[in-house]
Amino acid sequence: MTKNGNNSAAAFLPESHDLESLRDAAAGCEGCGLFRDATRTVFGEGAERARYMLVGEQPGDQEDRQGHPFVGPAGRVLDRGLDEAGIDRDEVYVTNAVKHFSFTDRGKRRIHKKPTAAEIDACRPWLEAELAAVRPEVVVVLGATAARSLLGRAFRVTERRGEPMPMGEALAVATVHPSAVLRAPDRDAAYAGFLADLRIAAGAVHRTR
């Protein structure tokens, strides 16, 4: 909860919106209830003026433990896709729509729990500040939660994936979250579709110049 009692991260944003200041301030964010059970805030990482900004859902178990985004199994799928799509990681900033791990305990395991609409909305000020600081040319929207935050609740990834569309001064390209590739009955087909979308995002850079 914020200092005025509303569920939002807005009151925790620092005066300076450079990435270092944002990251330091986000470490103390209590803008929604997720901070109570998560190990830490997992903020975005990458170049301050990255050409691509990749936005996922939320940290997973490994991300929460290590404090870095996309270091678990889904991150390995993403790394492979970026490499094969010809997207240089030095030109990428990766983050999530929600900065704390939402989960339920199942024995000794922590099982991913989809963030609520209120939690997504509460965390949006951090994502907006990251977008303003990085000013990417292309935003790759990974999955339904990121799409809900960036493109609105009516947007459907399944209907418009791989379609470059204006989003402020950038172009947005939506695709599935890499974890969906891992869950798919036919992983090869799911990965091929994911890679095709990343290649469209790679080509979209040239359309923004």
Side-chain angles (χ1 to χ4, degrees):
M1 299 283 281
T2 63
K3 298 164 188 175
N4 61 11
N6 296 321
N7 285 328
S8 175
F12 295 88
L13 265 65
E15 291 185 9
S16 176
H17 283 192
D18 62 277
L19 288 178
E20 183 177 359
S21 297
L22 290 168
R23 185 175 293 106
D24 289 345
C29 184
E30 299 179 2
C32 75
L34 292 180
F35 79 93
R36 295 187 181 94
D37 295 322
T39 305
R40 58 176 58 83
T41 304
V42 181
F43 206 68
E45 294 182 352
E48 178 117 18
R49 286 290 184 266
R51 183 166 289 173
Y52 302 89
M53 184 167 172
L54 276 60
V55 182
E57 180 186 77
Q58 64 162 351
D61 180 73
Q62 289 302 311
E63 287 81 2
D64 176 73
R65 296 180 190 279
Q66 298 182 40
H68 303 287
F70 288 99
V71 293
R76 291 190 285 275
V77 174
L78 180 61
D79 287 343
R80 176 188 169 193
L82 292 175
D83 181 61
E84 294 183 10
I87 297 176
D88 188 341
R89 280 304 296 258
D90 290 339
E91 297 184 333
V92 170
Y93 182 90
V94 293
T95 192
N96 285 297
V98 174
K99 312 302 188 195
H100 284 110
F101 182 30
S102 176
F103 63 92
T104 56
D105 287 311
R106 188 174 298 170
K108 295 182 178 181
R109 298 179 62 200
R110 301 189 301 172
I111 305 301
H112 164 277
K113 180 180 177 182
K114 185 179 178 66
T116 66
E119 289 161 352
I120 296 168
D121 292 343
C123 211
R124 187 178 294 118
W126 293 119
L127 186 54
E128 292 174 345
E130 287 175 296
L131 281 164
V134 177
R135 296 176 61 189
E137 296 178 37
V138 174
V139 179
V140 181
V141 183
L142 300 168
T145 295
R148 164 70 168 75
S149 183
L150 289 168
L151 302 172
R153 63 184 66 189
F155 186 89
R156 295 291 178 269
V157 174
T158 53
E159 296 173 1
R160 302 189 65 182
R161 62 180 293 180
E163 175 187 340
M165 63 197 78
M167 193 186 79
E169 296 181 356
L171 285 175
V173 177
T175 186
V176 298
H177 194 280
S179 62
V181 175
L182 295 173
R183 297 192 303 268
D186 186 340
R187 287 191 183 183
D188 290 341
Y191 178 76
F194 177 65
L195 178 58
D197 294 337
L198 289 182
R199 284 175 170 156
I200 290 171
V205 160
H206 303 292
R207 296 177 53 178
T208 66
R209 293 176 179 172

